[in-house]
Amino acid sequence: MLKPECPHFSSGPCAKRPGFSLSALEGALLGRSHRAPASRARMAEVIERSRAILGMPADWRLGIVPASDTGAVEMALWSLLGPRGVDVLAWESFSAEWAHDITQALKLPDVRLLKAPYGKLPDLGAVDWARDCVFVWNGTTSGVRLVNGDWITADREGLAICDATSAAFAMDLPWDRLDVVTWSWQKVLGGEAAHGMLALSPRAVARLESHTPAWPLPKVFRLTKGGKLIEGIFRGDTINTPSMLCVEDALDGLRWAESVGGLKGLVARAEGNLKLVADWVSRSKWAEFLAEDPATRSCTSVCLRFRDLAPEHQAEIAQRMVTYLEAEGVALDAAHYRDAPPGLRLWCGATVEAADVAAVLPWLDAAWGAAKRG
């Protein structure tokens, strides 16, 4: 059988863009201060290219922040929450983590947790938009995504705080229905780790400038000074020292994104990869999507589970399959997330070539056969 040219199917850090080599980073400003004008200009370029590709409204702020998407989400939660009750949507591991932090770390008194098991979405109609709402756009560990933003009211009083780390650059985000959006470089564009992106609507900025949290904020979370937004964060200054090598890599990914048609091209690549998997699943005797509703199937973190396999055997079979796929060098890091139901998880975002997705699918069948034989 034909093997994928690139066997990288990890859901983070994700596959580098096609044709990537270290020569793309030769212009990195290594050994330079991140405060130097040239360094700040590179980071401002990351911000502006990201804004343009995503179609972000002109009155939104976008900044580079520490600690990947996790840092960006935590900055938003610790800085913005408190004035209103909070509805938290949880249907996979990371959304459950945000719920835990809101209830156990921040200890907010008025929190409603709207949950759904892996494979489903919560009741979106139950959200009260007089309250703030925290949610992921795409369930990276469940392969279940939101279909659109119609469930978010345009005249909401609360803030819509969205962790979009495995959705940004692969899915259309309804900016008019969102107030905070976060992501990291190491997802859809295959960037290197440790840096997050935080996007704020005017409503979110107004909350920051009018609300003082009841708890102390660590320096890396502080977005205001003297009751005003620290505008430098959204022009290329950073709270702590960034990696200029990672900045150069992010620019390389953004330029590649522009070369394939921007957001429209990126979405088409990811959706095309999902269709290849869906066509294969429709013929499979053993695999099915973890996402129960076809409309909610993720086009990035594609999660598969076993059809008609006794629960007590699923974890062992999954591990055998992952071991086989890695030994054959055809799919690396394709295991299900540790908290998710046993199965496989394939990253099918825009940096993954359709030919590699097509090539790996017969190997999944081979892995299944080898695992069943023991």
Side-chain angles (χ1 to χ4, degrees):
M1 291 185 292
L2 183 68
K3 291 187 175 183
E5 184 174 330
C6 178
H8 297 168
F9 290 97
S10 164
S11 287
C14 302
K16 305 298 288 182
R17 55 96 170 161
F20 175 83
S21 73
L22 290 176
S23 63
L25 308 182
E26 289 178 353
L29 298 179
L30 304 184
R32 295 294 309 275
S33 168
H34 63 294
R35 303 294 186 196
S39 300
R40 294 173 64 193
R42 293 283 176 90
M43 289 184 282
E45 185 180 351
V46 170
I47 292 170
E48 292 310 312
R49 286 182 183 270
S50 299
R51 293 178 63 94
I53 293 171
L54 292 171
M56 188 178 298
D59 57 358
W60 278 58
R61 267 79 158 201
L62 176 61
I64 300 169
V65 298
S68 191
D69 178 65
T70 300
V73 174
E74 295 287 11
M75 288 177 78
L77 301 184
W78 284 68
S79 299
L80 290 163
L81 296 184
R84 295 177 179 269
V86 184
D87 286 355
V88 186
L89 306 183
W91 69 87
E92 49 84 60
S93 302
F94 291 107
S95 49
E97 286 287 344
W98 308 145
H100 176 272
D101 287 356
I102 291 167
T103 56
Q104 302 303 311
L106 295 178
K107 299 185 183 299
L108 294 181
D110 183 10
V111 180
R112 299 195 310 164
L113 179 58
L114 306 178
K115 293 185 64 176
Y118 280 88
K120 296 183 179 181
L121 286 174
D123 179 6
L124 303 179
V127 174
D128 178 358
W129 285 107
R131 305 160 64 83
D132 294 331
C133 184
V134 177
F135 55 96
V136 300
W137 192 268
N138 180 75
T140 309
T141 66
S142 70
V144 176
R145 63 172 164 179
L146 295 168
V147 179
N148 54 50
D150 294 351
W151 57 283
I152 304 171
T153 60
D155 59 348
R156 60 193 174 280
E157 298 174 37
L159 298 178
I161 301 173
C162 176
D163 171 0
T165 194
S166 55
F169 296 101
M171 303 173 196
D172 286 305
L173 298 174
W175 296 99
D176 62 323
R177 300 300 175 98
L178 303 172
D179 295 294
V180 178
V181 180
T182 68
W183 66 90
S184 69
W185 292 352
Q186 71 259 40
K187 290 294 184 180
V188 177
L189 297 187
E192 294 307 302
H195 302 79
M197 300 295 285
L198 175 65
L200 302 173
S201 74
R203 299 180 72 246
V205 172
R207 169 73 66 82
L208 283 169
E209 294 183 337
S210 63
H211 166 60
T212 301
W215 42 82
L217 285 179
K219 178 182 177 181
V220 293
F221 285 2
R222 294 174 197 161
L223 294 167
T224 61
K225 184 176 182 179
K228 293 295 182 181
L229 190 72
I230 303 174
E231 294 285 359
I233 295 173
F234 307 93
R235 293 196 297 260
D237 294 342
T238 53
I239 297 173
N240 68 338
T241 305
S243 163
M244 295 310 297
L245 190 65
C246 290
V247 169
E248 199 67 26
D249 184 66
L251 285 171
D252 177 72
L254 290 163
R255 294 185 189 109
W256 171 79
E258 293 162 355
S259 76
V260 298
L263 182 61
K264 185 176 180 180
L266 295 169
V267 170
R269 288 174 65 90
E271 293 291 350
N273 289 342
L274 173 60
K275 186 177 187 306
L276 288 172
V277 180
D279 290 345
W280 171 80
V281 167
S282 70
R283 303 187 299 270
S284 177
K285 293 181 171 58
W286 62 270
E288 61 186 7
F289 285 98
L290 183 54
E292 296 183 7
D293 180 355
T296 68
R297 292 172 184 165
S298 171
C299 64
T300 55
S301 52
V302 177
C303 296
L304 304 172
R305 65 181 177 185
F306 300 113
R307 179 181 293 151
D308 302 327
L309 179 64
E312 62 268 24
H313 300 311
Q314 291 181 8
E316 181 181 2
I317 292 294
Q319 184 55 57
R320 289 181 183 176
M321 292 182 70
V322 168
T323 300
Y324 175 92
L325 292 168
E326 295 211 4
E328 293 291 339
V330 294
L332 306 179
D333 309 313
H336 64 276
Y337 191 73
R338 61 179 179 266
D339 297 331
L344 299 176
R345 181 172 61 156
L346 295 177
W347 183 260
C348 290
T351 57
V352 178
E353 295 277 43
D356 287 337
V357 176
V360 80
L361 296 173
W363 285 99
L364 302 187
D365 290 322
W368 167 255
K372 290 287 286 183
R373 292 191 298 270

